[in-house]
Amino acid sequence: MATLHELVTPDSIRLDVRAADWHDAMRTVGEVLVSAGISDDSYTESMIHNVEEHGPYIVVSPGFAFAHARANDDVHHTGMAWIRLAEPVEFGHESNDPVTLIASLAAMNSSSHIAATQQLATLMADPTKRTALATAATPEQFHAALM
């Protein structure tokens, strides 16, 4: 089982990203997945469609969204991308908006998805880790906080 630290590289992290709205933020995190060779543009569109169809269920804790979709032929290997927004965006979640941090997972299978989800829950419940992610000055520092 890969760890979060192994699923993402500093090249898959963008800090202080500007986004006009949640659609823009989701497109940006999807572009990071695509540029890393993890998935195709169609996977990004699937992530956005999920939120349009099911609502902001991906906003799983205050200020944090976990973007994902069902993998088809548009996921090349399991991996993650992270973006931290310069200004928060609203997804429409009653209690966890606004969002400043988005992790996007493209998983080849459900066991990889479940393992990553469990690790994310542990990470986001740790106030020290949350602070490290919020204050990292570089993608390398952000990546180190995922350990």
Side-chain angles (χ1 to χ4, degrees):
M1 171 179 74
T3 65
L4 293 179
H5 189 259
E6 295 167 333
L7 290 174
V8 65
T9 66
D11 291 340
S12 306
I13 299 166
R14 303 287 185 278
L15 303 178
D16 304 322
V17 171
R18 300 240 174 247
D21 56 24
W22 73 264
H23 284 91
D24 194 21
M26 293 284 285
R27 278 192 178 45
T28 300
V29 77
E31 288 168 6
V32 178
L33 288 171
V34 171
S35 69
I38 297 168
S39 66
D40 294 334
D41 289 329
S42 60
Y43 186 76
T44 302
E45 293 308 314
S46 293
M47 292 189 302
I48 292 168
H49 177 74
N50 281 347
V51 176
E52 290 172 341
E53 185 174 327
H54 303 291
Y57 75 99
I58 67 167
V59 184
V60 295
S61 69
F64 175 65
F66 176 44
H68 56 279
R70 184 174 308 277
N72 293 309
D73 292 339
D74 49 8
V75 174
H76 307 294
H77 62 89
T78 299
M80 290 186 80
W82 290 75
I83 63 170
R84 188 179 68 203
L85 300 171
E87 298 293 328
V89 298
E90 300 277 337
F91 276 74
H93 194 280
E94 204 171 287
S95 57
N96 292 333
D97 268 344
V99 169
T100 55
L101 188 61
I102 303 172
S104 179
L105 173 68
M108 292 292 293
N109 55 53
S110 62
S111 61
S112 296
H113 179 92
I114 291 166
T117 302
Q118 291 169 335
Q119 291 176 55
L120 276 171
T122 301
L123 175 78
M124 299 314 286
D126 182 334
T128 303
K129 294 283 188 179
R130 289 283 301 246
T131 299
L133 296 173
T135 60
T138 66
E140 291 77 16
Q141 287 176 355
F142 190 100
H143 187 246
L146 297 175
M147 289 178 133

